[in-house]
Amino acid sequence: MFQISGPWGVQAQHDYRPDMRYGVTHVPVADSADDPFTWAGGFGLAMPKGSSMSEAAWKLMTFYAGYEGQRILMPQISRIPTSLEAVQDDRAWDSSIEFFVEIMEFARSRPPLPVGTKLWDAMMMMQDSLNQQSQSPDEAIKTAQAYVDPTMQQFCPVTLPDGFGEPDPHFDR
């Protein structure tokens, strides 16, 4: 069985089945000689324009996004810090997610596709089909393509900015 997940899955595994043996790896690549591949995403903080709490919200946001806030919170929620200083500090992330921290040098931002939700749904359908052995890998890929492609064609051709998807040169653990 396999699951498409991220570092948060390690915490869930620990919480709900700590005695289960499992491993983690990057998503499959076309050729075993290829570099590993993974997506990096995350979430953002936003403050409504004109908020009556702008100063307090800004202080919270800068603390949260800075080294100290990341060092306190990230180990608790099994996430990779976004503060590069915190990534360098092994105390700023839970050691159980070390694989995910190490593979960040190969991470790419998720492409800003207009079918992102459909693409994720298709990946989950492929995962389920393969785990249930109801489709071969080739069949699962064809089914996913048939699900996503009609919507994607409405937006084609899609062009990405120069350099999009390249590794972050600033991330060096």
Side-chain angles (χ1 to χ4, degrees), residues 71-137:
R71 187 182 62 75
I72 293 167
L73 182 61
M74 295 302 118
Q76 305 303 314
I77 63 173
S78 297
R79 299 298 195 283
I80 300 168
T82 54
S83 160
L84 295 178
E85 182 182 1
V87 171
Q88 303 296 328
D89 182 351
D90 293 348
R91 298 170 303 153
W93 44 271
D94 187 288
S95 63
S96 65
I97 66 165
E98 184 172 5
F99 170 82
F100 297 96
V101 175
E102 289 174 354
I103 200 170
M104 281 301 294
E105 70 178 285
F106 300 104
R108 307 294 187 271
S109 294
R110 291 184 298 246
L113 297 174
V115 294
T117 301
K118 273 196 128 167
L119 183 60
W120 183 260
D121 291 345
M123 289 187 341
M124 294 298 104
M125 289 187 292
M126 284 191 294
Q127 173 183 289
D128 291 345
S129 295
L130 296 173
N131 285 334
Q132 297 167 15
Q133 298 180 352
S134 61
Q135 289 186 308
S136 70

Side-chain angles (χ1 to χ4, degrees), residues 43-45 57-71 73-74 81-86:
F43 52 92
L45 302 173
W58 181 251
K59 285 180 181 179
L60 172 67
M61 292 165 68
T62 55
F63 176 78
Y64 174 90
Y67 168 74
E68 281 298 318
Q70 297 278 295
R71 187 182 62 75
L73 182 61
M74 295 302 118
T82 54
S83 160
L84 295 178
E85 182 182 1

Side-chain angles (χ1 to χ4, degrees), residues 110-116 148-162 164:
R110 291 184 298 246
L113 297 174
V115 294
V148 175
D149 194 55
T151 305
M152 187 65 192
Q153 289 306 315
Q154 298 173 43
F155 302 97
C156 285
V158 172
T159 56
L160 297 175
D162 287 342
F164 186 85

